[in-house]
Each structure stands twice: as C-alpha cells, then as structure tokens.
Amino acid sequence: MHRKLPAVRWVGGVELELLAIATGGRIVPRFQELTAEKLGKTGLVREKSFGTTKDPMLYIEHCANSFVGVS
C-alpha cells in the first residue's frame, strides 16, 4: 500500500500454496521479507466479477508452471 502496489488482503492456505507452485514464487510471512527472488512469474492478473452479486475473483493466467490448476 505504501508503494502503491496492488495486494490481496486474504488468501486461503491451500490456494496460496497452489499459487506459489504455479508461479514459482515463495510464501513470505511479511512484506518486509519480500524480495525479487521470491516473487513468482505470471503473464496476466485480472479481476472479474461474476454471479448475481457481482463477487470479484482474481484470474491469474500464464503462470511459470501453468500445469498446476486451482479448483
């Protein structure tokens, strides 16, 4: 937030692990521990709204290890 980076407030543990595997990233407990080497790689991150309540969902596409799927 201080550096105007987009962030997600909460992600479930299983989803977080699958994202780390898919992107080749490392899970860090605090932003202060985040480095370029720990970031994963992905081609596109976008938010879409769906359903009658227009709930937002993040779509993370073209990951470094895209054979991993989140269901």
Side-chain angles (χ1 to χ4, degrees):
M1 192 166 94
H2 296 287
R3 295 192 179 159
K4 308 260 191 263
L5 294 172
V8 177
R9 182 175 284 258
W10 186 89
V11 178
V14 172
E15 291 83 4
L16 189 61
E17 289 179 19
L18 289 171
L19 281 169
I21 293 168
T23 61
R26 301 269 315 269
I27 299 170
V28 296
R30 294 177 237 13
F31 278 113
Q32 295 85 352
E33 297 179 29
L34 191 60
T35 64
E37 294 80 30
K38 293 177 183 174
L39 290 174
K41 299 206 185 303
T42 186
L44 180 64
V45 178
R46 58 191 167 123
E47 183 178 295
K48 286 178 127 180
S49 296
F50 66 97
T52 56
T53 58
K54 300 294 184 198
D55 293 324
M57 179 179 275
L58 284 180
Y59 286 80
I60 302 168
E61 304 176 285
H62 312 293
C63 296
N65 299 314
S66 59
F67 62 89
V68 175
V70 177
S71 58

